[in-house]
Structures are given as C-alpha cells and as structure tokens.
Amino acid sequence: MLKKLPIFRLGAGMLKTVRYSYATADSKTPAQAETRTKEDLSQVDELPVHLRPYDKNKYEVTSTKIKYASGYSLLEVEPFPRAKIMKLGYIMLEKLKEIPAEALYRVYTEEKFKYIMKLVDETEDIRTLEEKFGYDSIEMFIQILHDELELFKHLKDTKPWEARAVDEEELFHYSKIPRAQLKHARHDRPAREEKKFISS
C-alpha cells in the first residue's frame, strides 16, 4: 500500500518545492508515484496558503492595468506585487521560527502574515488588494513589510520577551519616594576662575 508523506523543503528563506516520500515494500512504487502527480497536487491545494509551495505561474502574472507611478516619490512601481508579498510572507514566517513559540510578538506576527498571504492568494486585482489592506499604494504596503523584517532583526537581538526578574522592593521603590524628592535637582553654573589680563 502506498503511503504518501509530504515533506516541505525550504530554500533562501521561502518555501520552494514539495516532494513526497513513499513508504512501501513494492518495487513498482516510483512508477506508481508518477501516475499520482495530479492527485498529489490537488491535495497540496487543500493546504493553507502559508504551507503550500510558491506558485510562480499564479503570482507572477502581468496585470492588464498599467500603473505609471506609485504615488510616492522615490518609490518605484512594483511589477509583481502579489509575488513580492508572498515571498516576504514565506521569509518572515521562516524567520519567526527563531523566536520562542510562546512569545506574543511571534504569535501576533505569524497570524498577521498568514492573513495577508491568504488575502493575496484569494485576490488577483491589485486595486482591490490595496482597499483590503487599507493603503492607497501597494508599493507602500510592501515597503512596510520590508520594515517589519528590519524590526524582526532588532527584536531578535534585544529579546524583549525575556523579562528580567524584578525584586518586589525594587518594583515599589519609586512609589515610596515623596514627590518633592523626585524633582530634578537644580544645578547652578559653576563659578568661573577670574583671569588677569596683561595690560600694556
């Protein structure tokens, strides 16, 4: 009996291909596997968008509507915005695995990017996508996704989810200080040393 086990391969930070491992004792298994290609692909389509392999033929399609400008200075028009967003989504979801699963930043960001990828997969019209994302330019939205990657690099280094242990005495230290003592102390200008000038 042929048992299909999907194995997802990641390359360059995004989902590239899907290959299948067949566990059986039958020597004719490879030949049978080739005849099951269409059936396997239909099962891949049933997976959530973020688990599917990147489909170049679906996302890298030239739009019939020509866009001459993004509407922002120094921001070029993106020829394949859907492809760019999907690639950024795959990259971000892969990078988020470096953060602990219980971190709220990872939970929130994963759900956000999965939702974005789902909208991109379901919507072909760029103008409709801009309305769904709430931006007047898809290029600006892509720029914000790039900024999200930069934010990830910063948070990965600072690790804000690792809260340090705080002593209760230290926590309530400032609440016990009278308000008058919390004011900034006055610093007078230091007296200048008088210098004698040589007179003629």
Side-chain angles (χ1 to χ4, degrees):
M1 181 179 178
L2 191 65
K3 185 178 180 182
K4 182 173 67 62
L5 304 172
I7 300 175
F8 298 95
R9 297 175 57 192
L10 294 167
M14 61 183 168
L15 206 54
K16 287 284 189 182
T17 57
V18 178
R19 65 184 175 87
Y20 292 93
S21 173
Y22 294 88
T24 179
D26 190 358
S27 60
K28 297 180 181 180
T29 299
Q32 294 174 358
E34 292 179 4
T35 61
R36 295 171 58 92
T37 305
K38 292 183 179 180
E39 183 182 341
D40 294 341
L41 291 175
S42 64
Q43 291 182 4
V44 170
D45 291 337
E46 296 174 0
L47 293 171
V49 182
H50 62 278
L51 293 179
R52 297 180 201 165
Y54 175 74
D55 190 354
K56 180 179 180 180
N57 298 326
K58 183 174 184 179
Y59 302 117
E60 296 184 18
V61 179
T62 307
S63 176
T64 55
K65 299 177 181 178
I66 300 174
K67 191 174 184 180
Y68 291 100
S70 64
Y72 293 89
S73 59
L74 305 177
L75 192 60
E76 297 293 332
V77 175
E78 177 60 47
F80 303 110
R82 295 177 68 215
K84 194 67 170 284
I85 294 173
M86 291 299 290
K87 289 178 181 179
L88 287 172
Y90 285 127
I91 291 170
M92 191 64 183
L93 290 177
E94 182 63 22
K95 285 184 174 294
L96 285 171
K97 294 178 182 179
E98 303 173 15
I99 294 178
E102 63 274 7
L104 290 179
Y105 170 73
R106 173 176 173 177
V107 174
Y108 168 75
T109 309
E110 276 184 347
E111 292 302 318
K112 181 175 76 171
F113 271 86
K114 287 175 184 177
Y115 178 70
I116 290 171
M117 294 170 71
K118 181 182 177 184
L119 286 181
V120 172
D121 183 69
E122 295 173 351
T123 311
E124 294 184 5
D125 184 56
I126 303 304
R127 184 59 189 158
T128 307
L129 263 182
E130 290 175 345
E131 292 175 358
K132 287 184 177 181
F133 291 143
Y135 286 85
D136 56 351
S137 174
I138 196 74
E139 286 80 9
M140 180 56 68
F141 182 72
I142 292 172
Q143 185 65 39
I144 289 172
L145 294 183
H146 277 288
D147 294 341
E148 189 78 29
L149 287 173
E150 295 299 321
L151 175 64
F152 168 80
K153 294 176 185 177
H154 172 71
L155 293 178
K156 183 184 174 183
D157 294 335
T158 56
K159 298 181 180 179
W161 49 85
E162 294 182 1
R164 66 182 184 89
V166 180
D167 187 26
E168 185 176 351
E169 186 66 28
E170 181 186 357
L171 187 63
F172 295 101
H173 172 69
Y174 289 102
S175 63
K176 297 177 182 178
I177 300 176
R179 183 176 176 80
Q181 297 181 18
L182 290 174
K183 292 182 178 180
H184 294 289
R186 178 175 174 175
H187 295 282
D188 295 325
R189 181 184 297 177
R192 291 184 61 183
E193 181 182 354
E194 293 184 4
K195 293 185 179 180
K196 295 180 180 181
F197 294 93
I198 300 175
S199 58
S200 57

